[in-house]
Amino acid sequence: MYSELTQGSCFILDETRGLFSLQTGYIIVGNNLKYLLAVLNSRLIEFSFRKFYSIELGGSGLRWLKQYVENIPIPKPSIEIELQIEKLLLEKNYQAINKLVYEIYKLDKNEIDFIDFQ
């Protein structure tokens, strides 16, 4: 699930099917949901979405419209990557998730530094 209007990446996984949204929100269904959760909440995707996909609202608001979220290029994960992501999510190790996402997208040090210091 994710809300249309946020100030950053705000994707959540509702495994209980007990959540609801008080404003416009979207539900993503399918396979690899924990992997998608990690990638979509990463610094890289938030940076990319803010720069290339989103309609900015004021100084910090983002509008996560479905047609833009659908166009974010997300590579299919290997089983090894999915297992790593699952472990890191359980540990709440978001720094390691960001690092892994940078590796998935094959970013070099300069690109990583540019994104991290924005």
Side-chain angles (χ1 to χ4, degrees):
M1 280 179 80
Y2 66 98
S3 179
E4 181 178 314
L5 302 172
T6 70
Q7 292 192 353
S9 295
C10 261
F11 294 83
I12 60 167
L13 182 61
D14 179 16
E15 294 180 300
T16 67
R17 298 180 185 167
L19 298 177
F20 62 93
S21 178
L22 295 175
Q23 59 189 1
T24 304
Y26 301 93
I27 298 172
I28 299 171
V29 297
N31 301 320
N32 315 106
L33 292 177
K34 289 183 181 176
Y35 170 76
L36 279 174
L37 176 73
V39 172
L40 289 170
N41 279 323
S42 70
R43 272 191 229 127
L44 173 62
I45 296 303
E46 183 175 335
F47 171 84
S48 300
F49 197 80
R50 195 175 288 281
K51 295 292 182 192
F52 304 112
Y53 296 93
S54 177
I55 297 168
E56 271 200 67
L57 304 170
S60 62
L62 295 173
R63 192 162 183 208
W64 295 83
L65 292 171
K66 175 185 170 283
Q67 64 265 30
Y68 300 133
V69 173
E70 287 178 333
N71 286 316
I72 298 171
I74 300 177
K76 291 191 179 197
S78 66
I79 292 172
E80 294 81 19
I81 293 289
E82 278 197 277
L83 292 172
Q84 276 184 279
I85 291 285
E86 233 177 281
K87 179 179 180 264
L88 295 171
L89 284 170
L90 281 172
E91 296 170 353
K92 298 182 180 182
N93 191 341
Y94 305 116
Q95 186 175 4
I97 291 171
N98 280 314
K99 185 177 180 208
L100 185 56
V101 170
Y102 291 148
E103 291 173 19
I104 291 166
Y105 283 88
K106 298 179 170 86
L107 270 59
D108 65 33
K109 183 175 177 357
N110 291 331
E111 292 166 326
I112 293 168
D113 289 346
F114 184 78
I115 291 165
D116 282 346
F117 294 111
Q118 289 296 309

